Amino acid sequence: MPVRVLESSTPSQVSGANSGQTSFQACTLLGAGQAFSGTQNVSSLQKDEAWRVNVRIQGCDLEHGYLCGTMEALNVPMADTPVVTFWEGEIVDAKNYTFFTGKWEATPDDDIRHWTKFSSFSPLQAQVEADGGKSLDLSNYPHIFMRWKEQYFVNVGTDCGLTIAGFYYVCFSCIDGSISGFYYDPNSSPFQKLELKSTNEGRLGFSFSSYELQ
Amino acid sequence: MPTTSASSITTPPLSSTTSDPILDRLASSDCEIKLKSIREVKNKIIGNRTKKLSYIKLGTVPVVASVLAEADANSDSGANLIVQSAAVLGSFACGVDAGVRAVLDTGVLPRLFNLLSAADEKVVDATARSLRMIYQSKLAPKCDFFLEKNREFLLSLLKNENENLTVLGASIVIHSCETSEEQNILCYAGVLEKIIGLLDGSLSQRDACLESLATILKNNPEAVSKFMAHHGGRALNSIIELTKDRYSRTRLLACLCLICVKNSSSCHLQDLGIKTKLVYILLELLDDPGQVGDEASLAFSSLIAEKEDLHKLAFEANAIDKFYCHLQKSSSNPRRLEGIFLALGDLCSKLECCRSRFLTLQVLSLVVDALVHDNADVRKAACICLRNSSRSIKNLSAGHFMNESIVIPLVQLLSDLSISVQVAALGALSNIVAGITPRKSVFIQCGGIKGLVQSTKSMDSSLRLNAVWALRNMVFHAEKTCTEAVFMELTASSIANLIHDPESSVQEQTLALVRNFVDGLIDFVEYAFAEDGIIFDAVVRRLRESSKAEIRIQGIYVLCNIASGNEFHKEAVMHQLFPEAEDGSDSFFNQCLQSNDSRLSTAAVWVIVNLTNPTSPGAFGRVVKLRNFGIVSRIKKMVNDPCMDVKLRARMALDQIPIGES
């Protein structure tokens, strides 16, 4: 199983990007340190199964449409411990990345098929099908669309029997910090769903920390 | 004369115990013997640093200066003495600081300048060459260009037909012109025209022209505009041609000149063609084994610094590989090493692809080796390179930097004799400990926390700032043992003091550090209340006293995080934000809620979201109080804020307020 994508994660750049487009506004619930927990449905024809999943955002660079984090899968049958992976995300902002993936064996049809599974994508669908969503102003939209691609296993070897060949289509709600996603891998069961909620980790409210690289 | 003093020549008496008989003969009254002795000294010291130092110790320089001063330039014998003495003095000054000092101490400079107007061409040439040697040194006195007579003298040198004089004029510009005021006054005095005229001259004149032009234009858009307006096209084309010259030094100086124009202009030399050319020429010049190769990397840095498009160009030209190759060749030249590390640092400053290539090639190990170099500039450049290459949360998370071989030497540099090296080491460490990096215990075991905390107590504000910054990054989502270790070493009272540091940047980083301390497990909120709550009190006081947005943002988030705790914590925040005795209309918290900075108003709304969290028993009472203070009606207005985050948080808060209260 490939541990990480060996080619560089070249962005699905908008050619002739509109440099005058409004830059993305931050959403405090999608910042470094924020944690989410929920489940990943890994059902196949043979069985129904769901893993508990914890996600933590580790870095967020809105200007470049980039974020990254870790994903911890609990109660994985073939693993003795929770399995942690490091992932990188592309934020669909019509500046750095569009709704069309352009790599990872995902065709435009695959893209539309997945994005339409998010109800919050409906108002945008017509424009995306017409021009790829280039003229959309997503900066004020209360949902953020992303692709998350796991890059490597943090705490297990590549012989753990798991694959990270695919990627997730992700929709984040700025309203309540909930996340839903669909895993895409031509060699895996389709539409395996990821559902996460923002977690307060035992607190009676929301807490935010920060770091800054020099 | 462009010298600042005209002291008389000082000649200490020759000791009767001089060990070299040549020096005895120098004291002879016979001109022929004196001349022969001076020639002998000249032949012994030329190209021989050891001999130069030895003769300087023997007191030779003042004697020779005295010979030059007393000789009659209008006589043949006097002229010969002057020519040879000038050559000796120039040789002493050439590349030897002690020699320059010795020459300057004799007070012979004014005499040398006087002799530039001698009738005898050989005297003029010898004197000019001697002065050129002196003006290659940083120790030479600066020429005051604000004096008209000095500018006139300079112009007279530059327009002279004698090559030695024109080059001397350019050398004086190179040495003395530093500030923008000096650059401008030279532009307006017509010096630019004269210098540009040297472009068509000999090799020495061309090189001197290029170097002095760069000196006048560097970082000065006004000077560049004037240059381009009056001379631009033709001169620029000539300089571009010189980037292809067969002499490497000329190519380098031409590149430097073009870089000065490019960096100070938004419209000249901005096309892809010239940028590409400059990148490739400078990379090729790295192969020069001498000073040109040393300077090429520094020129490369000044070309690409802060310019992402040039980083991309350089990456595509395999710049990282080329610099790595040069690093691998065993070169002990500190200047070359420093230049290479700074260039690699610049290349890694913005683009992930460059940092990836840097790590793939394993340049890291060579940079780490340089952390213990004898030369402070090399150590500093290596730290800067480390800092920039670690500016990647992806690579930090993969654990590429958190290992003993890197951390131990960096922690040791926190006690370096040079403050600037300490600051650079702190910069690198603040990245390496950042994020949710694995194995921070490595850093703790290496004594890293002690080192950082020690730096927070420094008298130097840059050290305090960078140390607190590193601690902040370290505590971000750190394991409990790590957070506890930092808190115990730093102490609550120390943190409270840093919140009130004289420097606002230190205050800001300390508040961000506290914000991280009180995040994570709910127990961590107690950190703010250690030692009778001095940290909590200090945070509130800072919020009341400072109106700076950055400070308020961090401070409000501290309160937000505390307010996500238990009842005691929430009530503590309520008590400070909404004291009974005040009506709160112009409170600092209201100011934050109403701020035009959406980051601050969002943070303030999060405090309200936490205070009104319905799962908390005292929520209802707090809602009533907030309504009485006008906060609820303030929040209602915020649901129409143009900033989406503010809007959504306001709605979130209102959703938590019971119907009838909102």
Side-chain angles (χ1 to χ4, degrees):
Chain A
M1 308 297 174
V3 174
R4 54 182 290 180
V5 174
L6 294 179
E7 79 272 15
S8 66
S9 298
T10 46
S12 315
Q13 292 263 357
V14 180
S15 59
N18 179 0
S19 59
Q21 223 156 24
T22 324
S23 52
F24 237 64
Q25 288 188 36
C27 175
T28 35
L29 286 172
L30 190 69
Q34 291 307 296
F36 306 84
S37 65
T39 55
Q40 157 100 47
N41 161 273
V42 288
S43 299
S44 61
L45 287 172
Q46 287 84 33
K47 56 185 170 179
D48 244 340
E49 202 177 333
W51 297 344
R52 286 194 346 264
V53 172
N54 295 323
V55 165
R56 192 180 295 280
I57 310 291
Q58 292 211 27
C60 192
D61 176 2
L62 289 178
E63 201 197 321
H64 293 101
Y66 174 88
L67 78 164
C68 63
T70 51
M71 191 182 285
E72 179 189 32
L74 302 145
N75 64 281
V76 177
M78 48 283 246
D80 300 326
T81 62
V83 175
V84 182
T85 54
F86 177 87
W87 55 267
E88 291 184 297
E90 301 176 342
I91 301 174
V92 177
D93 54 10
K95 184 181 82 154
N96 294 290
Y97 301 100
T98 68
F99 283 98
F100 294 118
T101 309
K103 54 182 180 268
W104 303 331
E105 299 181 75
T107 64
D109 283 343
D110 291 322
D111 293 329
I112 294 292
R113 232 189 330 271
H114 283 81
W115 294 126
T116 49
K117 293 193 81 73
F118 302 114
S119 56
S120 50
F121 179 73
S122 310
L124 313 175
Q125 183 171 352
Q127 200 63 51
V128 171
E129 285 175 335
D131 67 357
K134 272 185 280 201
S135 46
L136 283 171
D137 177 12
L138 295 168
S139 60
N140 264 312
Y141 201 63
H143 293 87
I144 297 177
F145 298 96
M146 299 173 271
R147 283 178 288 270
W148 289 1
K149 175 87 178 91
E150 290 166 289
Q151 298 296 331
Y152 53 82
F153 292 101
V154 172
N155 66 335
V156 298
T158 55
D159 54 355
C160 65
L162 299 171
T163 175
I164 52 172
F167 69 96
Y168 291 87
Y169 291 88
V170 175
C171 178
F172 169 85
S173 165
C174 304
I175 299 166
D176 61 3
S178 61
I179 294 175
S180 53
F182 292 97
Y183 187 65
Y184 173 76
D185 176 2
N187 300 318
S188 299
S189 302
F191 304 117
Q192 292 179 46
K193 193 169 185 187
L194 177 71
E195 286 180 287
L196 306 168
K197 285 192 176 358
S198 178
T199 173
N200 294 340
E201 298 179 281
R203 288 184 175 234
L204 300 174
F206 293 85
S207 179
F208 304 92
S209 50
S210 71
Y211 70 88
E212 190 181 350
L213 294 181
Q214 286 206 38
Chain B
M1 301 305 137
T3 50
T4 54
S5 70
S7 53
S8 59
I9 312 297
T10 51
T11 317
L14 270 177
S15 164
S16 61
T17 58
T18 48
S19 58
D20 196 313
I22 293 177
L23 301 182
D24 291 333
R25 293 198 292 279
L26 267 178
S28 168
S29 53
D30 187 313
C31 277
E32 281 302 316
I33 295 173
K34 220 185 306 217
L35 183 64
K36 194 176 170 197
S37 308
I38 290 176
R39 277 205 180 103
E40 279 184 67
V41 171
K42 184 183 80 172
N43 293 338
K44 278 185 190 292
I45 67 172
I46 276 188
N48 190 324
R49 183 186 170 84
T50 310
K51 284 280 186 193
K52 286 183 195 180
L53 289 170
S54 164
Y55 274 99
I56 290 168
K57 259 192 179 162
L58 289 172
T60 315
V61 175
V63 175
V64 175
S66 185
V67 168
L68 183 142
E70 289 160 7
D72 177 9
N74 295 317
S75 74
D76 283 344
S77 59
N80 287 336
L81 278 173
I82 289 170
V83 166
Q84 295 303 319
S85 308
V88 166
L89 292 177
S91 185
F92 273 124
C94 183
V96 178
D97 278 352
V100 176
R101 260 187 234 108
V103 171
L104 293 174
D105 286 347
T106 66
V108 76
L109 219 53
R111 172 67 172 152
L112 285 170
F113 276 111
N114 266 334
L115 289 169
L116 291 178
S117 356
D120 190 324
E121 198 69 25
K122 291 203 296 294
V123 167
V124 172
D125 277 337
T127 314
R129 278 195 297 270
S130 183
L131 283 166
R132 276 174 61 185
M133 294 297 136
I134 294 168
Y135 271 90
Q136 276 174 10
S137 166
K138 286 188 175 53
L139 299 173
K142 270 189 53 161
C143 179
D144 184 353
F145 297 125
F146 293 101
L147 291 178
E148 193 180 339
K149 63 176 180 155
N150 287 348
R151 293 197 299 274
E152 283 171 1
F153 175 72
L154 181 65
L155 283 168
S156 72
L157 290 177
L158 290 171
K159 63 185 178 189
N160 202 293
E161 284 177 9
N162 184 314
E163 177 181 326
N164 281 311
L165 292 180
T166 54
V167 174
L168 172 62
S171 300
I172 291 172
V173 169
I174 293 163
H175 174 73
S176 307
C177 180
E178 289 175 344
T179 66
S180 55
E181 290 78 17
E182 286 164 336
Q183 290 170 322
N184 291 336
I185 204 162
L186 288 179
C187 279
Y188 288 104
V191 166
L192 263 185
E193 284 89 346
K194 296 291 174 282
I195 286 176
I196 289 163
L198 301 178
L199 269 178
D200 298 323
S202 67
L203 173 63
S204 305
Q205 284 174 322
R206 280 204 316 262
D207 283 359
C209 161
L210 289 169
E211 203 172 347
S212 52
L213 199 51
T215 306
I216 293 175
L217 300 179
K218 190 173 178 179
N219 297 327
N220 191 327
E222 190 183 332
V224 168
S225 290
K226 188 159 163 50
F227 168 72
M228 291 307 299
H230 294 104
H231 318 281
R234 200 189 80 83
L236 213 55
N237 286 339
S238 300
I239 297 170
I240 291 172
E241 276 307 300
L242 287 173
T243 62
K244 299 181 243 175
D245 193 83
R246 62 193 177 113
Y247 291 104
S248 59
R249 181 160 171 76
T250 304
R251 294 200 298 279
L252 175 68
L253 291 172
C255 286
L256 279 168
C257 215
L258 294 175
I259 291 168
C260 286
V261 171
K262 181 189 167 309
N263 285 352
S264 293
S265 165
S266 55
C267 53
H268 300 293
L269 302 179
Q270 303 300 327
D271 60 280
L272 185 59
I274 192 68
K275 289 179 192 175
T276 310
K277 193 193 288 263
L278 285 169
V279 164
Y280 277 91
I281 293 171
L282 288 172
L283 288 175
E284 175 252 323
L285 283 171
L286 286 175
D287 294 331
D288 186 285
Q291 198 187 359
V292 169
D294 299 346
E295 301 293 323
S297 2
L298 293 164
F300 186 88
S301 280
S302 62
L303 171 66
I304 72 163
E306 300 296 318
K307 298 181 185 72
E308 199 170 308
D309 61 325
L310 281 162
H311 299 177
K312 192 95 174 74
L313 257 177
F315 174 75
E316 285 160 3
N318 294 322
I320 297 178
D321 294 60
K322 293 194 167 112
F323 279 111
Y324 177 53
C325 274
H326 284 282
L327 262 185
Q328 285 179 303
K329 294 173 189 168
S330 56
S331 167
S332 57
N333 183 334
R335 188 120 172 99
R336 184 174 287 250
L337 280 177
E338 182 197 359
I340 292 176
F341 288 135
L342 288 176
L344 282 168
D346 280 317
L347 280 166
C348 290
S349 62
K350 290 183 185 294
L351 292 179
E352 197 60 33
C353 57
C354 291
R355 296 180 200 126
S356 293
R357 187 72 191 145
F358 177 92
L359 287 175
T360 303
L361 287 172
Q362 300 182 339
V363 190
L364 195 55
S365 57
L366 295 177
V367 178
V368 170
D369 289 344
L371 293 177
V372 295
H373 197 278
D374 293 336
N375 185 294
D377 290 331
V378 172
R379 296 197 297 278
K380 181 179 167 186
C383 286
I384 291 170
C385 186
L386 259 180
R387 182 197 68 191
N388 290 1
S389 59
S390 63
R391 191 182 286 165
S392 160
I393 194 61
K394 174 182 172 181
N395 292 331
L396 290 170
S397 299
H400 290 306
F401 293 91
M402 184 59 87
N403 61 65
E404 285 177 356
S405 65
I406 299 176
V407 168
I408 290 177
L410 275 176
V411 171
Q412 283 168 352
L413 287 180
L414 297 183
S415 320
D416 197 275
L417 290 175
S418 159
I419 297 282
S420 64
V421 171
Q422 290 183 35
V423 172
L426 282 168
L429 280 170
S430 71
N431 285 357
I432 287 170
V433 300
I436 312 172
T437 51
R439 301 182 66 227
K440 284 187 190 176
S441 55
V442 167
F443 181 72
I444 299 171
Q445 282 152 22
C446 297
I449 294 179
K450 279 191 179 345
L452 291 181
V453 171
Q454 192 56 35
S455 298
T456 65
K457 300 177 175 32
S458 170
M459 298 287 291
D460 184 296
S461 62
S462 297
L463 287 177
R464 292 199 306 278
L465 170 64
N466 282 280
V468 177
W469 194 328
L471 287 168
R472 166 214 183 169
N473 283 356
M474 179 155 191
V475 172
F476 173 83
H477 277 286
E479 287 168 5
K480 189 174 177 183
T481 47
C482 174
T483 308
E484 279 173 354
V486 173
F487 193 84
M488 282 187 50
E489 189 68 37
L490 197 47
T491 76
S493 49
S494 186
I495 294 170
N497 284 338
L498 286 165
I499 290 173
H500 295 301
D501 192 275
E503 294 293 324
S504 63
S505 52
V506 177
Q507 296 170 12
E508 181 192 337
Q509 288 296 335
T510 310
L511 289 167
L513 167 63
V514 173
R515 173 181 169 181
N516 287 354
F517 267 127
V518 297
D519 182 53
L521 298 173
I522 195 169
D523 294 345
F524 289 177
V525 178
E526 288 300 322
Y527 280 125
F529 296 96
E531 292 185 36
D532 293 325
I534 50 169
I535 294 177
F536 184 62
D537 292 342
V539 171
V540 174
R541 200 178 122 207
R542 192 92 302 270
L543 279 167
R544 285 190 205 286
E545 293 173 358
S546 174
S547 55
K548 281 192 85 165
E550 274 64 29
I551 286 177
R552 283 192 154 177
I553 288 166
Q554 298 300 342
I556 291 293
Y557 270 117
V558 172
L559 297 186
C560 164
N561 292 358
I562 293 173
S564 71
N566 59 32
E567 268 302 298
F568 167 78
H569 302 140
K570 293 179 195 295
E571 283 302 314
V573 172
M574 281 297 289
H575 181 69
Q576 289 293 342
L577 295 185
F578 310 107
E580 297 293 343
E582 298 172 15
D583 71 18
S585 53
D586 61 349
S587 71
F588 76 85
F589 186 72
N590 242 327
Q591 290 167 10
C592 294
L593 264 183
Q594 297 173 62
S595 171
N596 289 330
D597 189 324
S598 61
R599 300 170 300 165
L600 181 53
S601 51
T602 303
V605 182
W606 275 119
V607 175
I608 303 301
V609 167
N610 287 346
L611 290 174
T612 58
N613 183 293
T615 58
S616 197
F620 181 78
R622 286 191 284 278
V623 167
V624 170
K625 200 170 178 186
L626 289 172
R627 185 166 61 84
N628 293 341
F629 271 86
I631 297 297
V632 176
S633 46
R634 163 63 45 201
I635 299 279
K636 279 186 201 170
K637 291 180 190 159
M638 294 168 87
V639 296
N640 297 317
D641 195 281
C643 171
M644 186 180 64
D645 212 13
V646 172
K647 198 159 47 188
L648 293 175
R649 298 318 133 217
R651 284 189 195 150
M652 195 184 252
L654 290 175
D655 284 346
Q656 293 183 161
I657 291 170
I659 294 168
E661 289 296 335
S662 62

